[in-house]
Amino acid sequence: MIETHLRNRVQPLFNTIGTRFAACHISANNITLLALLTGLCAALCIATSHLKAALCLLMLSGLFDMLDGTVARLNGTSHNFGAYCDLVADRMVEAAVIIGFAWVYPEHIFAYLLFFAAVMLHFSTFVAAGALFPNMGAKSMHYDASIVERAEAFMGFFAMLVWPHLIFELLMLLNIIIFVAGITRFKRVMEYVHSTD
């Protein structure tokens, strides 16, 4: 939700940074790979209790994640394969971060399992909406906005890194929001399917 509403305001900054990446002949797919690798390194730092380093790496991963699409558009190289890789890399980073937390704070296993269930619901409905709804935007597929998107998930992770004594409460709050978003989108997809029958 934050990303959807603020993207137009911050996009000029991303365009400036993206132009420099493009000038260095760094492809959008390579930036997606950088987002994945820095995210996995952040997860490793979490698992080894280097939480400040994890926070910095996660911020860098988020920056790369926002830049890959920008560079693809600037280079005129947007395609479905890149969008697919980006979606998979995003989920892998999120999974790795939660596994990192589970490694060092195993007492919150119920919250971690609920997170995976919530993300499965949310992402499944996102893919269904992308496949069914007509694409009116600039992305490779219909991007169905939600009350929780990448920015909100990262804010939850940042809060967990800053206040590790509140991991369970913070993650459960994030889980509830993700479940609500997934259920809401599921209802919207079902209504759309019935309206087109």
Side-chain angles (χ1 to χ4, degrees):
M1 182 170 64
I2 293 173
E3 183 180 345
T4 298
H5 290 292
L6 294 182
R7 188 67 188 232
N8 288 339
R9 294 185 182 182
V10 298
Q11 190 58 50
L13 174 62
F14 292 139
N15 288 342
T16 301
I17 300 171
T19 299
R20 296 186 179 180
F21 273 85
C24 295
H25 305 289
I26 302 174
S27 72
N29 286 343
N30 284 337
I31 297 173
T32 299
L33 182 60
L34 285 172
L36 174 62
L37 292 176
T38 51
L40 294 179
C41 287
L44 183 61
C45 287
I46 294 169
T48 54
S49 298
H50 294 91
L51 301 188
K52 290 181 181 177
L55 186 61
C56 293
L57 285 166
L58 204 56
M59 289 174 68
L60 192 58
S61 177
L63 175 62
F64 287 139
D65 182 51
M66 289 186 283
L67 280 175
D68 55 5
T70 297
V71 170
R73 284 187 287 277
L74 289 171
N75 287 339
T77 57
S78 297
H79 48 74
N80 291 337
F81 177 75
Y84 171 77
C85 289
D86 182 50
L87 289 174
V88 172
D90 289 352
R91 302 296 80 74
M92 289 301 96
V93 168
E94 291 163 6
V97 165
I98 290 299
I99 291 170
F101 278 116
W103 183 264
V104 72
Y105 302 107
E107 63 272 21
H108 307 307
I109 187 67
F110 180 68
Y112 305 138
L113 291 174
L114 273 184
F115 175 82
F116 284 117
V119 169
M120 285 175 63
L121 171 65
H122 191 264
F123 189 61
S124 297
T125 58
F126 174 82
V127 172
L132 293 171
F133 294 164
N135 186 10
M136 302 297 185
K139 295 186 180 262
S140 298
M141 60 180 277
H142 168 76
Y143 188 91
D144 196 65
S146 169
I147 58 171
V148 57
E149 296 173 340
R150 187 83 161 144
E152 286 80 13
F154 268 45
M155 286 174 63
F157 294 157
F158 293 157
M160 290 162 65
L161 288 167
V162 173
W163 298 291
H165 60 288
L166 294 175
I167 285 175
F168 182 82
E169 292 82 358
L170 291 167
L171 188 54
M172 288 300 290
L173 176 61
L174 182 60
N175 289 341
I176 290 168
I177 296 170
I178 296 172
F179 269 119
V180 169
I183 292 167
T184 302
R185 185 187 285 127
F186 178 81
K187 183 175 180 291
R188 193 162 62 249
V189 169
M190 292 302 295
E191 288 172 349
Y192 178 80
V193 169
H194 288 310
S195 71
T196 57
D197 283 345

